[in-house]
Amino acid sequence: ITQTVDEKTLELASRRADLEKESALAYARAFTEQELTEIATFYNSEAGKKLIESGPIATRELVKAADIWQNG
């Protein structure tokens, strides 16, 4: 398993630049340069860093709460 994972990781690594380019184009189509600057400023702030770190945990908890609410 480890060997297969390592092989696939190396295959994907060579394509990372393509993914980054496509991601940049998607954001450029959706946001203005000013908006992107403001978004970057937020994610570089303490609150933005905390959102990146704790956001997935909060999302998971919200999904649990929604499931309980839906079933209740």
Coordinates of all heavy atoms in Angstrom, one line a residue:
I1 N 0.8 -1.2 0.0 CA 0.0 0.0 0.0 C 0.9 1.2 0.0 O 0.6 2.2 -0.8 CB -1.0 0.0 1.2 CG1 -2.0 -1.1 1.1 CG2 -1.6 1.4 1.4 CD1 -2.9 -1.3 2.2
T2 N 1.9 1.3 0.8 CA 2.8 2.4 0.9 C 3.5 2.7 -0.4 O 3.6 3.8 -0.8 CB 3.8 2.2 2.0 OG1 3.1 2.0 3.3 CG2 4.7 3.4 2.2
Q3 N 3.9 1.6 -1.1 CA 4.6 1.8 -2.4 C 3.6 2.4 -3.4 O 4.0 3.3 -4.1 CB 5.1 0.5 -2.9 CG 5.8 0.6 -4.2 CD 6.3 -0.8 -4.7 OE1 6.2 -1.8 -4.0 NE2 6.7 -0.8 -6.0
T4 N 2.4 1.9 -3.4 CA 1.4 2.4 -4.4 C 1.1 3.9 -4.1 O 1.0 4.7 -5.0 CB 0.1 1.6 -4.3 OG1 0.4 0.2 -4.6 CG2 -1.0 2.1 -5.3
V5 N 0.9 4.2 -2.8 CA 0.6 5.6 -2.4 C 1.8 6.5 -2.8 O 1.6 7.6 -3.4 CB 0.4 5.7 -0.9 CG1 0.3 7.2 -0.4 CG2 -1.0 5.0 -0.5
D6 N 3.0 6.1 -2.6 CA 4.2 6.8 -3.0 C 4.2 7.1 -4.5 O 4.5 8.2 -4.9 CB 5.5 6.2 -2.5 CG 5.6 6.2 -1.0 OD1 4.9 7.0 -0.3 OD2 6.5 5.5 -0.5
E7 N 4.0 6.0 -5.2 CA 4.0 6.1 -6.7 C 2.9 7.1 -7.2 O 3.2 8.0 -8.0 CB 3.7 4.8 -7.3 CG 4.9 3.8 -7.2 CD 4.6 2.4 -7.6 OE1 3.5 2.1 -8.1 OE2 5.5 1.5 -7.4
K8 N 1.7 7.0 -6.6 CA 0.6 7.9 -7.1 C 0.9 9.3 -6.7 O 0.6 10.3 -7.4 CB -0.7 7.4 -6.5 CG -1.2 6.1 -7.1 CD -1.4 6.2 -8.6 CE -1.8 4.9 -9.1 NZ -1.9 4.9 -10.6
T9 N 1.5 9.5 -5.5 CA 1.8 10.9 -5.0 C 2.8 11.5 -6.0 O 2.7 12.7 -6.3 CB 2.4 10.8 -3.6 OG1 1.5 10.2 -2.7 CG2 2.8 12.2 -3.1
L10 N 3.8 10.8 -6.4 CA 4.8 11.3 -7.3 C 4.1 11.6 -8.7 O 4.5 12.6 -9.3 CB 6.0 10.3 -7.5 CG 6.9 10.2 -6.3 CD1 7.9 9.1 -6.6 CD2 7.6 11.5 -6.0
E11 N 3.2 10.8 -9.1 CA 2.5 11.1 -10.4 C 1.7 12.4 -10.3 O 1.7 13.2 -11.2 CB 1.5 9.9 -10.7 CG 2.2 8.7 -11.2 CD 1.2 7.5 -11.4 OE1 0.0 7.8 -11.6 OE2 1.7 6.4 -11.4
L12 N 1.0 12.6 -9.2 CA 0.2 13.8 -9.0 C 1.0 15.0 -8.8 O 0.6 16.1 -9.2 CB -0.8 13.6 -7.8 CG -1.9 12.5 -8.1 CD1 -2.6 12.3 -6.8 CD2 -2.8 12.9 -9.2
A13 N 2.2 14.9 -8.2 CA 3.0 16.0 -7.9 C 3.4 16.8 -9.2 O 3.5 18.0 -9.2 CB 4.3 15.6 -7.1
S14 N 3.7 16.0 -10.2 CA 4.1 16.6 -11.5 C 2.9 17.4 -12.1 O 3.2 18.3 -12.9 CB 4.6 15.6 -12.5 OG 3.5 14.7 -12.8
R15 N 1.7 17.2 -11.7 CA 0.5 17.9 -12.2 C 0.0 19.0 -11.3 O -0.9 19.7 -11.7 CB -0.6 16.9 -12.5 CG -0.2 15.8 -13.5 CD -1.3 14.7 -13.6 NE -2.6 15.3 -13.7 CZ -3.7 14.6 -13.2 NH1 -3.6 13.4 -12.7 NH2 -4.9 15.2 -13.3
R16 N 0.7 19.2 -10.2 CA 0.3 20.2 -9.3 C 0.2 21.6 -9.9 O -0.7 22.4 -9.6 CB 1.1 20.3 -8.0 CG 0.6 21.3 -7.0 CD 1.4 21.3 -5.7 NE 1.0 22.3 -4.9 CZ 0.4 22.2 -3.8 NH1 0.1 21.0 -3.3 NH2 0.0 23.2 -3.1
A17 N 1.2 22.0 -10.7 CA 1.2 23.3 -11.3 C -0.1 23.5 -12.2 O -0.6 24.6 -12.2 CB 2.5 23.5 -12.2
D18 N -0.5 22.5 -12.9 CA -1.7 22.6 -13.7 C -2.9 22.8 -12.8 O -3.8 23.7 -13.1 CB -2.0 21.3 -14.5 CG -0.9 21.0 -15.5 OD1 -0.3 22.0 -16.0 OD2 -0.7 19.8 -15.9
L19 N -3.0 22.2 -11.6 CA -4.1 22.4 -10.7 C -4.1 23.8 -10.2 O -5.1 24.5 -10.1 CB -4.1 21.4 -9.6 CG -5.1 21.6 -8.5 CD1 -6.5 21.5 -9.0 CD2 -4.9 20.6 -7.3
E20 N -2.9 24.3 -9.8 CA -2.8 25.7 -9.3 C -3.2 26.7 -10.3 O -3.9 27.7 -10.0 CB -1.3 25.9 -8.8 CG -1.0 25.2 -7.6 CD 0.4 25.3 -7.1 OE1 1.2 26.0 -7.8 OE2 0.8 24.8 -6.0
K21 N -2.8 26.4 -11.6 CA -3.2 27.4 -12.7 C -4.7 27.4 -12.9 O -5.3 28.4 -13.0 CB -2.5 27.0 -14.0 CG -2.9 27.8 -15.2 CD -2.2 27.4 -16.4 CE -2.7 28.2 -17.6 NZ -2.1 27.7 -18.9
E22 N -5.3 26.2 -12.9 CA -6.8 26.1 -13.0 C -7.5 26.8 -11.9 O -8.5 27.4 -12.0 CB -7.2 24.7 -13.2 CG -6.8 24.1 -14.5 CD -7.3 24.8 -15.8 OE1 -8.5 25.3 -15.8 OE2 -6.5 25.0 -16.7
S23 N -7.0 26.6 -10.7 CA -7.6 27.2 -9.5 C -7.5 28.7 -9.6 O -8.5 29.4 -9.3 CB -6.8 26.7 -8.2 OG -7.0 25.3 -8.1
A24 N -6.3 29.2 -10.0 CA -6.2 30.7 -10.1 C -7.1 31.2 -11.1 O -7.7 32.3 -10.9 CB -4.7 31.0 -10.5
L25 N -7.3 30.5 -12.2 CA -8.3 31.0 -13.2 C -9.7 31.0 -12.7 O -10.5 31.9 -13.0 CB -8.1 30.1 -14.5 CG -6.9 30.3 -15.3 CD1 -6.8 29.2 -16.4 CD2 -6.8 31.7 -15.9
A26 N -10.1 30.0 -12.0 CA -11.4 29.9 -11.4 C -11.7 31.1 -10.5 O -12.7 31.7 -10.5 CB -11.6 28.6 -10.7
Y27 N -10.7 31.4 -9.6 CA -10.8 32.5 -8.7 C -10.9 33.8 -9.5 O -11.6 34.7 -9.1 CB -9.7 32.5 -7.7 CG -10.0 31.6 -6.5 CD1 -9.6 30.3 -6.4 CD2 -10.8 32.1 -5.4 CE1 -9.9 29.5 -5.3 CE2 -11.1 31.3 -4.3 CZ -10.6 30.0 -4.3 OH -10.9 29.2 -3.2
A28 N -10.0 33.9 -10.5 CA -10.0 35.2 -11.3 C -11.3 35.4 -12.0 O -11.7 36.6 -12.2 CB -8.8 35.1 -12.3
R29 N -12.0 34.3 -12.4 CA -13.3 34.5 -13.1 C -14.4 34.9 -12.1 O -15.3 35.6 -12.4 CB -13.7 33.2 -13.8 CG -12.9 33.0 -15.1 CD -13.5 31.8 -15.9 NE -13.3 30.5 -15.3 CZ -12.3 29.7 -15.5 NH1 -11.3 30.1 -16.3 NH2 -12.2 28.6 -14.9
A30 N -14.2 34.5 -10.8 CA -15.3 34.7 -9.8 C -15.1 36.0 -9.1 O -16.1 36.5 -8.6 CB -15.3 33.5 -8.9
F31 N -13.9 36.5 -8.9 CA -13.6 37.6 -8.1 C -12.8 38.7 -8.8 O -12.0 38.4 -9.7 CB -12.9 37.2 -6.8 CG -13.6 36.2 -6.0 CD1 -13.3 34.9 -6.0 CD2 -14.6 36.6 -5.1 CE1 -14.0 33.9 -5.2 CE2 -15.3 35.7 -4.3 CZ -14.9 34.4 -4.4
T32 N -13.0 39.9 -8.4 CA -12.1 41.0 -8.9 C -10.8 40.9 -8.2 O -10.7 40.3 -7.2 CB -12.8 42.4 -8.7 OG1 -12.8 42.6 -7.3 CG2 -14.2 42.5 -9.2
E33 N -9.8 41.7 -8.8 CA -8.5 41.7 -8.1 C -8.6 42.3 -6.7 O -8.0 41.8 -5.8 CB -7.5 42.5 -9.0 CG -6.1 42.6 -8.4 CD -5.2 43.3 -9.3 OE1 -5.5 43.7 -10.5 OE2 -4.0 43.5 -8.9
Q34 N -9.4 43.3 -6.6 CA -9.6 44.0 -5.3 C -10.2 43.0 -4.3 O -9.8 42.9 -3.1 CB -10.5 45.2 -5.4 CG -10.9 45.8 -4.0 CD -9.6 46.4 -3.3 OE1 -8.7 46.9 -4.0 NE2 -9.6 46.3 -2.0
E35 N -11.2 42.2 -4.7 CA -11.8 41.2 -3.8 C -10.8 40.1 -3.4 O -10.8 39.7 -2.3 CB -13.0 40.6 -4.5 CG -14.2 41.5 -4.6 CD -15.3 41.0 -5.6 OE1 -15.0 40.2 -6.5 OE2 -16.5 41.4 -5.4
L36 N -10.0 39.7 -4.4 CA -9.0 38.7 -4.1 C -8.0 39.2 -3.1 O -7.6 38.5 -2.2 CB -8.3 38.2 -5.3 CG -9.1 37.4 -6.3 CD1 -8.4 37.2 -7.6 CD2 -9.5 36.0 -5.7
T37 N -7.6 40.5 -3.2 CA -6.7 41.1 -2.2 C -7.3 41.1 -0.8 O -6.7 40.8 0.2 CB -6.4 42.5 -2.7 OG1 -5.7 42.4 -3.9 CG2 -5.4 43.2 -1.7
E38 N -8.6 41.5 -0.8 CA -9.3 41.5 0.5 C -9.4 40.1 1.1 O -9.3 39.9 2.3 CB -10.7 42.1 0.3 CG -10.7 43.6 0.0 CD -12.0 44.2 -0.4 OE1 -13.0 43.5 -0.2 OE2 -12.0 45.3 -0.9
I39 N -9.7 39.1 0.3 CA -9.8 37.7 0.7 C -8.4 37.3 1.3 O -8.4 36.7 2.4 CB -10.3 36.8 -0.4 CG1 -11.7 37.1 -0.7 CG2 -10.1 35.3 0.0 CD1 -12.2 36.4 -2.0
A40 N -7.4 37.6 0.6 CA -6.0 37.2 1.0 C -5.7 37.9 2.3 O -5.1 37.3 3.2 CB -5.0 37.6 -0.1
T41 N -6.1 39.1 2.4 CA -5.8 39.9 3.7 C -6.5 39.2 4.9 O -6.0 39.0 5.9 CB -6.3 41.3 3.6 OG1 -5.5 42.0 2.5 CG2 -6.1 42.1 4.9
F42 N -7.8 38.8 4.6 CA -8.5 38.1 5.7 C -7.8 36.8 6.1 O -7.6 36.5 7.3 CB -10.0 37.8 5.3 CG -10.6 36.9 6.2 CD1 -11.0 37.3 7.5 CD2 -10.8 35.5 5.9 CE1 -11.6 36.4 8.4 CE2 -11.4 34.7 6.8 CZ -11.8 35.1 8.1
Y43 N -7.5 36.0 5.1 CA -6.9 34.7 5.4 C -5.5 34.8 6.0 O -5.0 33.8 6.7 CB -6.9 33.7 4.2 CG -8.2 33.1 4.0 CD1 -9.0 33.4 3.0 CD2 -8.6 32.1 4.8 CE1 -10.3 32.8 2.8 CE2 -9.8 31.4 4.7 CZ -10.7 31.8 3.6 OH -11.9 31.2 3.5
N44 N -4.9 35.9 5.9 CA -3.6 36.2 6.5 C -3.7 36.8 7.9 O -2.7 36.9 8.6 CB -2.7 37.0 5.6 CG -2.1 36.2 4.5 OD1 -1.5 35.2 4.7 ND2 -2.2 36.7 3.3
S45 N -5.0 37.2 8.3 CA -5.2 37.7 9.6 C -5.3 36.6 10.6 O -5.4 35.4 10.2 CB -6.5 38.5 9.6 OG -7.7 37.6 9.5
E46 N -5.3 36.9 11.9 CA -5.5 35.9 12.9 C -6.8 35.2 12.8 O -6.9 34.0 13.0 CB -5.3 36.5 14.3 CG -3.9 37.0 14.6 CD -2.9 35.9 14.4 OE1 -3.1 34.8 14.9 OE2 -1.8 36.2 13.7
A47 N -7.9 35.9 12.5 CA -9.2 35.3 12.4 C -9.2 34.3 11.2 O -9.8 33.2 11.2 CB -10.3 36.3 12.2
G48 N -8.6 34.7 10.1 CA -8.5 33.9 8.9 C -7.7 32.6 9.1 O -8.1 31.5 8.7
K49 N -6.6 32.8 9.8 CA -5.8 31.6 10.2 C -6.6 30.6 11.1 O -6.5 29.4 10.9 CB -4.5 32.0 10.8 CG -3.5 32.7 9.9 CD -2.3 33.3 10.6 CE -1.4 34.1 9.7 NZ -0.3 34.7 10.4
K50 N -7.3 31.2 12.0 CA -8.1 30.4 12.9 C -9.2 29.7 12.1 O -9.5 28.5 12.4 CB -8.7 31.2 14.0 CG -9.4 30.3 15.1 CD -9.8 31.0 16.3 CE -10.4 30.0 17.3 NZ -10.7 30.7 18.6
L51 N -9.8 30.4 11.2 CA -10.9 29.7 10.3 C -10.3 28.5 9.5 O -10.9 27.5 9.5 CB -11.5 30.8 9.4 CG -12.5 30.2 8.4 CD1 -13.7 29.7 9.2 CD2 -13.0 31.3 7.4
I52 N -9.1 28.7 9.0 CA -8.5 27.6 8.3 C -8.2 26.4 9.2 O -8.5 25.3 8.8 CB -7.1 28.1 7.6 CG1 -7.4 29.1 6.5 CG2 -6.3 26.9 7.1 CD1 -6.2 29.8 6.0
E53 N -7.8 26.7 10.4 CA -7.4 25.7 11.4 C -8.7 25.0 12.0 O -8.8 23.8 12.0 CB -6.6 26.3 12.5 CG -6.2 25.2 13.5 CD -5.4 25.9 14.6 OE1 -4.5 26.8 14.3 OE2 -5.6 25.5 15.8
S54 N -9.6 25.8 12.4 CA -10.8 25.3 13.1 C -12.1 25.1 12.3 O -13.0 24.5 12.7 CB -11.1 26.2 14.3 OG -10.0 26.3 15.1
G55 N -12.1 25.7 11.1 CA -13.2 25.6 10.2 C -13.7 24.2 10.0 O -15.0 23.9 10.1
P56 N -12.9 23.2 9.6 CA -13.3 21.9 9.4 C -14.0 21.2 10.6 O -15.0 20.5 10.5 CB -12.1 21.1 9.0 CG -11.2 22.2 8.4 CD -11.5 23.4 9.2
I57 N -13.5 21.6 11.8 CA -14.1 21.0 13.0 C -15.5 21.6 13.2 O -16.4 20.9 13.5 CB -13.2 21.3 14.2 CG1 -11.8 20.6 14.1 CG2 -13.9 21.0 15.6 CD1 -10.7 21.1 15.0
A58 N -15.6 22.9 13.0 CA -16.9 23.6 13.2 C -17.9 23.1 12.2 O -19.0 22.8 12.5 CB -16.7 25.1 13.1
T59 N -17.4 22.9 11.0 CA -18.3 22.3 9.9 C -18.8 21.0 10.3 O -20.0 20.6 10.1 CB -17.6 22.3 8.6 OG1 -17.2 23.7 8.2 CG2 -18.5 21.7 7.5
R60 N -17.9 20.1 10.8 CA -18.3 18.8 11.2 C -19.3 18.8 12.3 O -20.3 18.1 12.3 CB -17.0 18.0 11.6 CG -17.3 16.5 11.9 CD -16.0 15.7 12.1 NE -15.1 16.3 13.0 CZ -13.9 16.8 12.7 NH1 -13.5 16.7 11.4 NH2 -13.1 17.3 13.6
E61 N -19.2 19.7 13.2 CA -20.1 19.8 14.3 C -21.5 20.4 13.8 O -22.5 19.9 14.3 CB -19.6 20.7 15.4 CG -18.3 20.2 16.1 CD -18.6 18.8 16.8 OE1 -19.7 18.7 17.5 OE2 -17.8 17.9 16.6
L62 N -21.4 21.3 12.9 CA -22.7 21.8 12.3 C -23.4 20.7 11.6 O -24.7 20.6 11.6 CB -22.4 23.0 11.4 CG -22.0 24.3 12.0 CD1 -21.5 25.3 11.0 CD2 -23.2 24.9 12.8
V63 N -22.7 19.9 10.8 CA -23.4 18.8 10.1 C -24.0 17.8 11.1 O -25.1 17.4 10.9 CB -22.4 18.0 9.2 CG1 -22.9 16.7 8.7 CG2 -21.9 19.0 8.0
K64 N -23.3 17.5 12.2 CA -23.9 16.6 13.2 C -25.1 17.3 13.8 O -26.2 16.6 14.0 CB -22.9 16.4 14.4 CG -21.8 15.5 14.1 CD -20.9 15.3 15.4 CE -19.6 14.7 15.1 NZ -18.8 14.6 16.3
A65 N -25.1 18.6 14.1 CA -26.3 19.3 14.7 C -27.4 19.2 13.7 O -28.6 19.0 14.1 CB -25.9 20.7 15.1
A66 N -27.1 19.4 12.4 CA -28.2 19.4 11.4 C -28.8 18.0 11.3 O -30.0 17.9 11.1 CB -27.6 19.9 10.0
D67 N -28.0 17.0 11.4 CA -28.5 15.6 11.3 C -29.4 15.4 12.5 O -30.5 14.8 12.3 CB -27.3 14.6 11.3 CG -26.6 14.6 10.0 OD1 -27.2 15.0 9.0 OD2 -25.5 14.0 10.0
I68 N -29.0 15.8 13.7 CA -29.8 15.6 14.9 C -31.1 16.4 14.7 O -32.2 15.8 15.0 CB -29.1 16.0 16.1 CG1 -27.9 15.1 16.4 CG2 -30.0 16.1 17.3 CD1 -26.9 15.6 17.5
W69 N -31.1 17.6 14.3 CA -32.3 18.4 14.1 C -33.2 17.8 13.0 O -34.4 17.7 13.3 CB -31.8 19.8 13.6 CG -33.0 20.7 13.3 CD1 -33.7 21.4 14.2 CD2 -33.6 20.9 12.0 NE1 -34.7 22.1 13.5 CE2 -34.6 21.8 12.2 CE3 -33.2 20.5 10.7 CZ2 -35.4 22.3 11.1 CZ3 -34.0 20.9 9.6 CH2 -35.1 21.8 9.8
Q70 N -32.6 17.3 12.0 CA -33.4 16.7 10.9 C -34.1 15.4 11.4 O -35.3 15.2 11.0 CB -32.5 16.4 9.7 CG -33.2 15.8 8.5 CD -32.3 15.5 7.3 OE1 -31.1 15.4 7.5 NE2 -32.8 15.5 6.1
N71 N -33.4 14.6 12.2 CA -34.0 13.4 12.7 C -35.0 13.6 13.8 O -35.8 12.7 14.1 CB -32.9 12.4 13.1 CG -32.2 11.9 11.9 OD1 -32.7 11.8 10.8 ND2 -30.9 11.7 12.1
G72 N -34.9 14.8 14.4 CA -35.7 15.1 15.6 C -37.1 15.5 15.2 O -38.1 15.5 15.9

